[in-house]
Amino acid sequence: MTTTTEAPTTTTRREGRPATDPIDLEVVRSRLEAIGEQAALAVDHTAISPTITESKDYSVTIMDPQGDLIVGAGMVLFHFGAASYSVKATIARFGDTIAPGDVFFANDPHHGGGLHPQDVMIQQPIFHEGDLIGWVGLSAHMMDMGGMVVGSFAPQATDCYQEGIRCPAVRLFRKGEEMTDVWDILINNIRMSDIVEMDLRGLVAGCHSAQEQVGALVESIGRARFVESLRAIRELTEAEMRRRILALEDGVYKSTSWTEYGDDFYEIPCTLTVEDDHIILDFEGASPQTDHYFNSKPYIIAAEFLVMLAHRIARDLPFNEGIFAPVELRCPEGTVVNANPPAPIAAAHMHVGLNAADVAMQAFNLALGASPESPARRYLAGAGFESALGNNLWSWQLPDGSTDAFLAFDGNWVGGSAGRERDGTDLGRNPVGIGAEGSIADIEILESWYPLLFTERRARPGSGGAGVHRAGGGTQMTLRPHGVEQINGTMFGMRRWMPLQGIAGGAPGCCNEFLVHHSDGTTEELDPNSAGTPMHEGDSFQMRLACGGGFGDALDRDPESVAVDVAAGRFSADDADRIYGMVLAADGSVDTAATTARRDALRHDRLTRATPALRPQGDRHVSTSSDAAVFPLYPGVVQQGNLAYAEESGRVLAEAPAHWTDGCPVLEERRWPEGGPDVVFRTYLDPLVGRALHVEVALADGPRSFEVNPRRWTEADHR
């Protein structure tokens, strides 16, 4: 059985209904956006935990009466799609009993919750003259929801009942009257209840602010115009989103990655089909659901993928239900991408959810790379930072015996992958997009709130993600206990073994590392999915975050740029020589002649060590005199008629409909030659010059993890 989510096609103008004036419509949309931002400020001013007030892990979403997304505000865009799903579940659960003054709470991803149980969903219906006209939903991360581990991220949980209290939609307020018994159930089952209660009440305050102001907006413009504006906002966005998808080459594009838990790997394959103005994401073949804490749900993957997709092709469009409408998701039930109870789900939005969304995005990048008519081709980049987070939480006991904790949101700031026209950004995030996902908290505020001393926070140095354009560095942060005898850590990070990959021959990035430097001089590496790690006075914890992949072969990077990186201490002169083939003269300048010779030797060495091509094409070249049309197939690989060839050398790689890598020698190298799982880097080479065309991160002995099959390629031999 598969789960499908797809909205029907709509138009910008319907029979018998006048089109809304575009200026009036933008005024209404801007006012709704401002209402969301003011509700977010209400949360900021009334919540008390640094998770919300400093790291900004909260959101505001305004929806129509059916729960479809209209506008969102706040830092965490991933919440927006999840809020819509949650409200729709509330409507299905309570139906006609929903009344003015009701406020609902939900946090169970299995039954109408948000991204995960700690991201609670507070929802309030908006009425006008007795009729439901919309919804407002607010979400934020709560420091605890009970369960076996402080913070409720329980890597050792084997079912959802161990993870904490989970609720389908329940009323916190009924017709304006507080439901004290429901509040008591929640507060009685969580740690740090004073903080969590204040944060929850902050979300309720934000709901109240938004619903009052939406009501005032309806009064000022009239109900008919308001309803029509909501419809038009969505329809105009959908029409433009479909137009941009039409610029993609119809066809089938596949990508596969794996989610780690210890030495176990859970497969997440995605087949993306582009059909006219819509796309289908099919996760058939995903691993069965597991007893680890990161099983996910289709709506979570959709909520995260659509933000990533909007960053790439719709950064200038309003982010509403129209963005979601052209996308269909198929997630087989009973798998890690569509788990059923009692599967644990405390990290439903991370290891599997974000990885699945990123795998879908990598498949989309393959489609984008093969689509000459899409303006977004210039934004091609390696794997997203989102699926390499390195989060952790530290807790301790207060003098009165109660618990306090710090959630290290610095674990979100992974180094960004490089793109077609740029290096990746340090401390991650997308340089082109529609918003951020949280904020870096001020060190002084954290040290004043928590018994911690931060001794380091910077971009991690290193040569990971090398390429013509290189990746940025992830966060490197060190902290230690200060004023308490012991603190206890929970790690819930990703990618200890399998790094993010680049594109167009760019090298993969580095992996996450969690280290405890003990007072006796020894260093302990922590499992990225573990709990109960003690740290005592004199010990320190160092988090070294992963980074994304590079763009293009590192041996083609501008030598002067490499020299600048060496001078800045980003990586060493030895790395520059070994990875980039750059030779420095005695005065520190680039030795151009020696660098050229070194790079030629490294390319030749690749070909010498590589396994012969699966289907060698000999010395076939494309005809430069041919008037046949040339189309991109993959960055650095082009199609002419039924032939794929390396763009720079002209050497033929394959005949349609074969995989374009069939004619590439393959250099396969173990990522962890001195222990660890069999993760390999497969470099597909230009058979003439040894240039890296693509570097694949995969498990040894497995098949290729990607396919590029635009229809014009698979049907080329029939034309």
Side-chain angles (χ1 to χ4, degrees):
M1 178 179 179
T2 57
T3 297
T4 300
T5 59
E6 183 179 18
T9 302
T10 56
T11 59
T12 56
R13 184 185 182 117
R14 293 184 180 177
E15 188 74 24
R17 194 178 76 226
T20 304
D21 180 84
I23 295 177
D24 288 346
L25 185 63
E26 181 61 15
V27 169
V28 173
R29 191 195 67 79
S30 297
R31 287 185 66 178
L32 286 170
E33 200 169 82
I35 289 170
E37 291 170 353
Q38 290 171 13
L41 284 175
V43 175
D44 208 78
H45 294 161
T46 53
I48 63 173
S49 73
T51 297
I52 296 176
T53 61
E54 300 301 320
S55 297
K56 311 299 182 185
D57 191 347
Y58 64 87
S59 67
V60 179
T61 310
I62 297 174
M63 291 150 282
D64 69 13
Q66 293 75 44
D68 286 339
L69 174 65
I70 300 300
V71 300
M75 286 285 191
V76 187
L77 278 62
F78 292 156
H79 284 169
F80 297 169
S84 177
Y85 168 84
S86 188
V87 165
K88 290 174 182 177
T90 300
I91 294 171
R93 181 176 172 83
F94 290 97
D96 294 339
T97 68
I98 297 169
D102 285 351
V103 177
F104 297 91
F105 169 101
N107 80 321
D108 182 11
H110 284 310
H111 300 98
L115 295 180
H116 63 125
Q118 300 93 309
D119 274 4
V120 303
M121 286 289 175
I122 304 297
Q123 313 153 28
Q124 185 166 359
I126 305 171
F127 284 82
H128 180 260
E129 296 180 350
D131 293 325
L132 181 67
I133 59 168
W135 286 81
V136 58
L138 276 80
S139 183
H141 185 94
M142 299 293 109
M143 283 303 298
D144 190 78
M145 276 287 119
M148 62 191 295
V149 172
V150 176
S152 306
F153 287 110
Q156 278 72 51
T158 57
D159 62 48
C160 57
Y161 305 108
Q162 298 172 313
E163 295 179 308
I165 187 168
R166 296 172 297 108
C167 296
V170 295
R171 285 184 174 90
L172 290 180
F173 292 81
R174 183 189 296 270
K175 298 181 180 180
E177 181 180 350
E178 183 169 318
M179 307 299 291
T180 57
D181 49 353
V182 176
W183 283 91
D184 289 345
I185 292 171
L186 292 174
I187 299 306
N188 191 60
N189 281 279
I190 58 178
R191 309 169 184 89
M192 297 172 277
S193 57
D194 291 345
I195 293 174
V196 173
E197 181 178 359
M198 284 302 300
D199 288 348
L200 286 173
R201 292 188 181 278
L203 296 178
V204 173
C207 276
H208 182 70
S209 168
Q211 68 90 21
E212 275 197 337
Q213 293 185 65
V214 170
L217 171 61
V218 175
E219 286 292 329
S220 68
I221 67 173
R223 179 171 164 183
R225 180 181 163 197
F226 176 78
V227 171
E228 177 61 25
S229 295
L230 296 190
R231 190 179 292 116
I233 287 170
R234 175 218 164 114
E235 291 177 357
L236 286 170
T237 300
E238 179 181 342
E240 178 59 18
M241 187 70 172
R242 290 186 181 276
R243 188 188 71 81
R244 296 183 184 190
I245 291 174
L246 274 170
L248 300 174
E249 286 288 327
D250 282 2
V252 176
Y253 308 86
K254 298 181 181 181
S255 183
T256 298
S257 186
W258 292 263
T259 288
E260 308 170 15
Y261 189 92
D263 292 338
D264 296 329
F265 291 83
Y266 296 84
E267 185 172 357
I268 302 179
C270 179
T271 299
L272 181 146
T273 302
V274 180
E275 293 183 354
D276 297 324
D277 65 351
H278 71 284
I279 60 178
I280 301 167
L281 303 174
D282 193 335
F283 292 92
E284 186 67 37
S287 293
Q289 68 184 59
T290 178
D291 58 359
H292 303 318
Y293 70 134
F294 49 53
N295 296 282
S296 197
K297 308 290 280 190
Y299 76 89
I300 295 173
I301 297 167
E304 295 175 332
F305 169 74
L306 267 299
V307 172
M308 299 176 189
L309 182 64
H311 279 315
R312 196 57 51 89
I313 67 169
R315 62 199 183 283
D316 57 334
L317 297 184
F319 191 80
N320 58 50
E321 200 71 27
I323 297 289
F324 288 71
V327 178
E328 178 184 345
L329 216 66
R330 298 174 180 174
C331 297
E333 191 170 345
T335 65
V336 290
V337 295
N338 188 8
N340 295 315
I345 47 169
H349 63 313
M350 291 176 56
H351 302 58
V352 167
L354 282 172
N355 200 5
D358 188 60
V359 170
M361 197 65 215
Q362 290 184 55
F364 179 83
N365 277 335
L366 296 176
L368 196 60
S371 302
E373 299 302 318
S374 176
R377 284 189 75 239
R378 64 178 299 192
Y379 302 125
L380 274 174
F385 66 87
E386 297 95 343
S387 65
L389 305 186
N391 286 308
N392 50 93
L393 180 144
W394 295 90
S395 64
W396 51 88
Q397 195 171 56
L398 297 174
D400 64 359
S402 61
T403 299
D404 198 6
F406 162 67
L407 179 55
F409 277 93
D410 290 76
N412 290 338
W413 302 97
V414 176
S417 284
R420 179 186 288 275
E421 300 176 349
R422 58 168 178 80
D423 287 343
T425 51
D426 287 339
L427 307 188
R429 295 318 192 230
N430 198 322
V432 178
I434 54 175
E437 296 292 334
S439 175
I440 296 180
D442 187 273
I443 287 292
E444 283 71 23
I445 291 177
L446 295 179
E447 288 182 336
S448 69
W449 185 281
Y450 301 119
L452 303 171
L453 185 66
F454 295 81
T455 59
E456 177 188 39
R457 180 195 261 172
R458 60 171 176 146
R460 175 182 178 178
S463 57
V468 171
H469 301 293
R470 55 151 179 79
T475 301
Q476 182 166 305
M477 184 187 74
T478 302
L479 61 85
R480 60 183 176 86
H482 184 67
V484 292
E485 293 183 0
Q486 178 177 317
I487 62 177
N488 300 294
T490 299
M491 308 295 115
F492 45 104
M494 305 151 71
R495 295 198 182 273
R496 168 63 183 88
W497 302 114
M498 183 166 280
L500 295 170
Q501 66 182 28
I503 194 170
C510 55
C511 291
N512 282 319
E513 296 179 16
F514 297 152
L515 307 171
V516 173
H517 302 291
H518 294 290
S519 57
D520 62 5
T522 60
T523 296
E524 174 188 3
E525 183 169 5
L526 303 180
D527 187 315
N529 294 291
S530 58
T533 298
M535 190 160 62
H536 303 91
E537 187 175 358
D539 297 339
S540 64
F541 168 75
Q542 185 179 51
M543 175 179 66
R544 294 164 52 84
L545 283 193
C547 70
F551 189 102
D553 190 338
L555 296 182
D556 292 327
R557 184 168 173 82
D558 172 30
E560 295 294 341
S561 297
V562 179
V564 168
D565 285 339
V566 172
R570 183 174 290 275
F571 48 78
S572 68
D574 287 344
D575 287 337
D577 173 76
R578 177 176 55 87
I579 297 170
Y580 289 96
M582 192 208 70
V583 181
L584 289 173
D587 62 358
S589 63
V590 177
D591 186 327
T592 304
T595 294
T596 299
R598 174 68 171 146
R599 289 181 166 184
D600 288 344
L602 288 172
R603 292 189 185 99
H604 181 267
D605 178 66
R606 287 172 175 171
L607 289 172
T608 300
R609 294 186 292 123
T611 301
L614 181 66
R615 294 186 178 89
Q617 299 296 310
D619 59 357
R620 297 174 66 190
H621 281 70
V622 294
S623 172
T624 57
S625 61
S626 172
D627 59 358
V630 175
F631 301 99
L633 197 58
Y634 181 81
V637 179
V638 291
Q639 174 189 354
Q640 181 175 295
N642 69 336
L643 298 179
Y645 65 93
E647 188 171 19
E648 293 298 320
S649 72
R651 180 61 66 91
V652 172
L653 302 174
E655 289 189 22
H659 200 296
W660 68 260
T661 63
D662 281 358
C664 296
V666 181
L667 181 61
E668 183 168 304
E669 301 168 292
R670 283 197 62 186
R671 173 63 179 86
W672 307 100
E674 298 179 358
D678 286 335
V679 175
V680 296
F681 293 171
R682 295 190 190 118
T683 304
Y684 297 92
L685 300 170
D686 182 320
L688 181 63
V689 298
R691 175 172 285 110
L693 298 176
H694 178 69
V695 184
E696 175 184 31
V697 180
L699 296 181
D701 301 324
R704 280 173 298 211
S705 64
F706 70 105
E707 291 185 22
V708 183
N709 289 314
R711 187 172 298 161
R712 65 156 197 269
W713 172 251
T714 56
E715 298 179 358
D717 58 335
H718 302 302
R719 294 183 179 182

